Amino acid sequence: MTMRLILIGPPGSGKSTQATGLSASHGIPWIATGDMLRAAIRRGTPLGEAARPFVESGGLVPDELMVRLVKERLAHPDCRHGFLLDGFPRTVVQAEALRSAGIAIDAVIELAIDDMEIVRRLSGRRVHPASGRTYHVVFHPPQHADRDDVTGERLVQRDDDAPASITRRLRAYREQTQPVIEYYRRWADSREAGAPHYIRVNAAGPEAEIRTRLHSALRAAGLVANGRSASIEQRGHTPR
Ligand code: AMP
């Protein structure tokens, strides 16, 4: 059974956590376009150089470049049985490019969570800059307030986790992504042959519960065999 997925979710929706789980349990590569671009920029490749100004300013990299990048990546042999796209498509033009290239998608999964909950999650996050250890004032508090458990050093809040930045990031997400969500929702509703399933998962609550909801939704859509994922035995794990 192939598993070609698009995962969409705002910052703070637990997208990376769920992507890691899906990628491991279905043996499919996790393709995060933001990570690919950052790696290309670090290596100084022509793609990296072309993308750099857009990524650094927080704008979108031109569709043509992104479509070429993703098409090349999806042609790799590790995508034969499926893939998990994260961060792409970001525009309707990109979504249409996938469709017109004949790249089939089994399901588009939206991790849905309201803004209040996102602000609560992200604004409580604290980091220990030297080690990268992260805490949350409510969900994962340090042993002593504002102090790293290992070194006792002071914890800080990332600049982009400040409430004003969170609001800005969320606004950008809603503006960019809503049309893509609508595009897939409408296509799924059309019940056309080849239309991907559209799956909306409530992303509020504990991680494990969200994973269970996701799995049930994929099973209900007929994408996962009853019980365990059929693909686990067949393909094993492909690390990211
Ligand atoms: P992310 O890590 O997904 O937040 O992506 C980081 C940055 O990479 C974005 O702010 C964009 O500049 C760029 N980027 C990633 N994916 C895309 C895409 N599908 N279309 C355009 N730009 C993208």
Side-chain angles (χ1 to χ4, degrees), residues 17-230:
T17 308
Q18 298 304 330
T20 311
L22 281 168
S23 165
S25 61
H26 298 288
I28 52 175
W30 173 16
I31 300 174
T33 47
D35 288 349
M36 289 170 78
L37 292 170
R38 279 185 290 272
I41 291 171
R42 263 198 314 276
R43 287 198 307 268
T45 65
L47 163 77
E49 289 311 311
R52 184 193 297 275
F54 302 100
V55 174
E56 286 183 350
S57 68
L60 288 185
V61 173
D63 289 329
E64 197 194 310
L65 207 68
M66 292 309 302
V67 168
R68 187 149 33 95
L69 174 74
V70 169
K71 275 194 192 165
E72 273 172 25
R73 180 62 188 86
L74 294 182
H76 287 201
D78 65 337
C79 296
R80 235 184 1 245
H81 299 297
F83 48 80
L84 174 69
L85 280 175
D86 170 3
F88 184 97
R90 273 266 222 302
T91 64
V92 172
V93 171
Q94 294 175 8
E96 277 172 344
L98 273 187
R99 186 175 176 177
S100 62
I103 296 169
I105 301 294
D106 298 302
V108 176
I109 302 167
E110 179 192 357
L111 293 179
I113 181 160
D114 67 40
D115 289 3
M116 288 288 288
E117 175 65 18
I118 292 172
V119 172
R120 211 159 65 91
R121 284 188 187 182
L122 296 182
S123 62
R125 186 155 69 177
R126 297 290 182 274
V127 296
H128 175 239
S131 67
R133 275 184 286 277
T134 61
Y135 301 86
H136 190 282
V137 291
V138 179
F139 308 119
H140 175 45
Q143 285 161 12
H144 302 285
D146 285 330
R147 296 283 170 184
D148 176 46
D149 287 351
V150 178
T151 62
E153 287 167 352
R154 195 163 267 294
L155 301 176
V156 302
Q157 184 171 41
R158 271 172 40 176
D159 286 346
D160 60 350
D161 283 346
S165 300
I166 295 172
T167 309
R168 200 169 341 104
R169 284 158 73 199
L170 279 179
R171 196 178 317 122
Y173 170 81
R174 302 276 179 226
E175 282 169 10
Q176 283 172 18
T177 315
Q178 211 53 45
V180 176
I181 289 177
E182 288 309 318
Y183 174 87
Y184 283 115
R185 201 182 276 163
R186 232 174 293 131
W187 190 9
D189 283 348
S190 76
R191 307 207 172 258
E192 247 174 65
H197 291 273
Y198 187 81
I199 295 173
R200 193 164 196 264
V201 174
N202 173 7
E207 238 172 78
E209 222 168 84
I210 299 160
R211 195 174 321 124
T212 306
R213 282 178 210 149
L214 236 166
H215 189 76
S216 310
L218 289 171
R219 198 167 51 220
L223 295 170
V224 172
N226 269 336
R228 265 155 61 83
S229 155

Side-chain angles (χ1 to χ4, degrees), residues 224-236:
V224 172
N226 269 336
R228 265 155 61 83
S229 155
S231 50
I232 293 176
E233 290 89 353
Q234 286 165 13
R235 273 181 255 132

